[in-house]
């Protein structure tokens, strides 16, 4: 059978390989503790699940959904933007529900990139930005994220000839995998850069509601004029512990929202309507659950950070995201280290290299595991030191 070149060009999807290794270890009887994938251990809040159950009983929700979702969902998204960010958006023209942010991010490449175009993609980054560009036949220009720059790309270093060919700029703050955050000044700089070069700013804000120490991440759409050049992606996955239900949204520049709708309407048939009712319940219902959940992640963060430092890793506790991004001692590659930790301690971490070359020398740990697992991992690591390389 002859497969397409784009399939042949794909690296293995990071978490597929990690799941395979965990399964192999568990089959040998090991008590594997996973800090791997960022998939909340806590359940979807009960009121949201109740909305699903009620909606599932309604025959109207058993039929094909519309690609652009229920009008009530688009209004709920617009209402949430007004409440959370003080940003007014038109639910008819500036909002598009998604089957999870990943779906919208992948399809965005088909809506905004032609073969030979350039996509500006941070390195390290969520792998779907670059995969989407590759599917669209576009080229990826990597923007290094360096610890010394707070893991923000230096937009001034991009050569003018690259800026001229670039069609989209991907940014993601609070950031996966580094846990870094961007302040308003950086968002203003990014908007100005995109206006100057006529580049569409694709801002992945999936972690805006997972934040600690009183920090409230901004929306890029709060920057004056951003709606002319930016689309922001959100996900209910991490916000409301809804990874399994698959719902997110794109909000922003009306022509871009329409283009994404056109691609999607040819490829998918929208979000199952009962799940749209969950999303409405989540976005319009009480939000106090978020503070309680964030307090749990914050406590886990504060428990784990000192132990990671004690074993020899270097890291800054994140202000947002469920991720710890830790620098390895000299000489280790992230793949070697992750393998050693799995072999010696039955602990799974994500090798930074899986997020691009710029992730080499780091590992990512997700705080989305039960407290009891975290505690066992802490016990296993306490008193251990990473052996020097060489
Ligand atoms: N964007 C980033 C940066 C992510 O880390 C993830 C999931 O891990 C997603 C998007 C995908 O979110 P969703 O579950 O809504 O598809």
């Amino acid at each position: 059978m002859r497969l397409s070149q784009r399939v042949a060009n794909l690296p293995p999807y990071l978490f597929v390989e990690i799941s395979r290794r965990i399964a192999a270890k568990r089959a040998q009887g090991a008590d594997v503790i996973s800090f791997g994938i960022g998939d909340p251990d806590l359940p979807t809040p009960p009121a949201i699940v109740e909305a699903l159950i009620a909606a599932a009983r309604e025959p109207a929700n058993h039929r094909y959904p519309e690609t652009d979702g229920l009008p009530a969902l688009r209004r709920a998204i617009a209402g949430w933007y007004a409440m959370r960010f003080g940003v007014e958006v038109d639910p008819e023209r500036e909002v598009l529900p998604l089957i999870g942010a990943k779906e919208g991010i992948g399809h965005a490449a088909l809506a905004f990139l032609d073969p030979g175009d350039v996509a500006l993609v941070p390195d390290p980054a969520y792998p779907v930005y670059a995969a989407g560009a590759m599917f669209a036949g576009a080229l990826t220009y990597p923007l290094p994220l360096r610890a010394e720059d707070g893991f923000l790309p230096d937009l001034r270093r991009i050569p003018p000839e690259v800026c001229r060919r670039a069609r989209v700029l991907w940014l993601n703050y609070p950031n996966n995998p580094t846990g870094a955050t961007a302040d308003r000044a950086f968002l203003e700089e990014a908007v100005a850069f995109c206006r100057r070069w006529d580049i569409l700013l694709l801002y992945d804000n999936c972690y805006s509601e997972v934040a600690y120490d009183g920090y409230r991440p901004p929306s890029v759409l709060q920057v004056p004029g951003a709606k002319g050049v930016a689309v922001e992606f959100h996900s209910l996955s991490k916000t409301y512990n809804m990874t399994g239900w698959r719902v997110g949204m794109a909000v922003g520049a009306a022509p871009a929202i329409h283009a994404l709708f056109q691609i999607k309407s040819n490829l998918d048939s929208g979000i199952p309507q009962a799940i749209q009712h969950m999303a409405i319940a989540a976005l319009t219902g009480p939000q106090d659950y978020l503070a309680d959940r964030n307090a749990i992640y914050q406590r886990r963060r504060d428990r784990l950070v000192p132990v990671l430092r004690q074993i020899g890793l270097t890291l800054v506790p994140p202000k947002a995201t469920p991720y710890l991004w830790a620098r390895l001692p000299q000489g280790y590659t992230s793949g070697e280290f992750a393998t050693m930790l799995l072999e010696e301690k039955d602990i799974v971490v994500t090798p930074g290299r899986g997020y691009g070359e710029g992730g080499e020398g780091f590992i990512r740990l997700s705080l989305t595991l039960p407290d009891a697992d975290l505690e066992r991992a802490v016990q296993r690591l306490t008193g251990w030191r990473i052996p020097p390389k060489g």
Side-chain angles (χ1 to χ4, degrees):
M1 189 188 299
R2 188 182 158 280
L3 304 178
S4 72
Q5 200 51 46
R6 71 178 67 79
V7 169
N9 289 348
L10 273 178
Y13 195 71
L14 182 61
F15 291 108
V16 175
E17 176 54 21
I18 293 174
S19 303
R20 198 191 56 73
R21 282 205 217 160
I22 297 174
K25 262 279 184 180
R26 286 195 176 135
Q28 295 164 14
D31 171 29
V32 179
I33 300 169
S34 179
F35 292 95
I37 193 164
D39 192 356
D41 59 305
L42 301 165
T44 307
I48 302 175
V49 176
E50 288 307 322
L52 170 82
I53 294 168
R57 294 208 174 94
E58 275 299 321
N61 295 323
H62 299 180
R63 310 187 67 193
Y64 278 126
E66 298 287 347
T67 301
D68 56 354
L70 292 165
L73 175 56
R74 294 197 302 274
R75 285 197 301 274
I77 293 169
W80 185 79
Y81 253 81
M83 171 190 75
R84 171 63 178 87
F85 299 116
V87 169
E88 297 297 327
V89 291
D90 177 351
E92 297 309 315
R93 295 168 53 252
E94 295 173 331
V95 171
L96 184 62
L98 302 170
I99 313 169
K102 185 178 187 180
E103 175 267 304
I105 290 167
H107 283 150
L110 299 179
F112 309 129
L113 294 168
D114 280 321
D117 285 345
V118 170
L120 303 173
V121 177
D123 178 16
Y126 181 57
V128 186
Y129 314 137
M134 193 268 274
F135 287 156
L139 306 169
T140 293
Y141 184 87
L143 307 179
L145 304 187
R146 299 190 179 87
E148 55 273 29
D149 300 329
F151 297 109
L152 297 172
D154 187 346
L155 302 175
R156 290 161 307 183
R157 285 219 200 115
I158 308 171
E161 62 276 16
V162 174
C163 295
R164 257 179 241 115
R165 283 180 66 192
R167 291 285 165 268
V168 301
L169 164 63
W170 279 106
L171 291 176
N172 161 227
Y173 295 96
N175 184 259
N176 175 17
T178 67
T181 56
D183 62 12
R184 175 73 178 251
F186 177 75
L187 299 187
E188 285 170 5
E189 186 192 330
V191 168
F193 170 85
C194 287
R195 285 165 79 126
R196 169 162 183 221
W197 295 102
D198 191 19
I199 292 171
L200 180 61
L201 175 53
L202 298 174
Y203 193 81
D204 183 348
N205 208 351
C206 282
Y207 294 98
S208 66
E209 306 314 301
V210 183
Y212 316 118
D213 309 318
Y215 173 63
R216 296 280 278 163
S219 160
V220 77
L221 299 179
Q222 290 169 321
V223 176
K227 251 204 260 172
V229 289
V231 171
E232 183 160 283
F233 291 84
H234 270 280
S235 169
L236 276 70
S237 289
K238 311 299 156 82
T239 305
Y240 301 105
N241 297 343
M242 286 178 67
T243 45
W245 303 111
R246 311 309 304 136
V247 51
M249 65 262 203
V251 178
I257 291 290
H258 185 66
L260 188 52
F261 164 74
Q262 284 178 296
I263 295 289
K264 278 173 57 60
S265 59
N266 280 279
L267 292 175
D268 70 59
S269 298
I271 308 160
Q273 263 180 205
I275 293 175
Q276 297 190 48
H277 284 287
M278 295 179 91
I280 294 168
L283 294 166
T284 59
Q287 304 290 306
D288 23 335
Y289 142 84
L290 298 176
D292 299 343
R293 187 274 319 278
N294 288 346
I296 293 172
Y297 287 164
Q298 186 172 320
R299 186 165 34 74
R300 291 176 184 172
R301 176 196 72 176
D302 295 342
R303 180 82 177 109
L304 197 55
V305 166
V307 182
L308 297 179
R309 286 180 171 153
Q310 166 250 295
I311 69 169
L313 297 168
T314 309
L315 74 162
V316 177
K319 279 201 295 184
T321 80
Y323 304 124
L324 305 183
W325 184 241
R327 192 194 286 277
L328 299 169
Q330 279 289 324
Y332 279 99
T333 68
S334 59
E336 275 168 4
F337 182 80
T339 305
M340 180 183 82
L341 211 57
L342 183 58
E343 292 310 321
E344 293 195 10
K345 300 284 171 194
D346 292 336
I347 290 175
V348 176
V349 297
T350 311
R353 182 67 183 80
Y355 300 93
E357 273 174 38
E360 191 49 282
F362 289 85
I363 53 163
R364 194 197 76 171
L365 296 97
S366 176
L367 299 170
T368 52
L369 76 178
D371 287 334
D373 288 11
L374 182 117
E375 207 43 53
R376 284 202 321 290
V378 164
Q379 300 312 326
R380 275 183 212 172
L381 293 175
T382 300
W384 184 68
R385 283 289 293 180
I386 299 170
K389 213 47 201 328

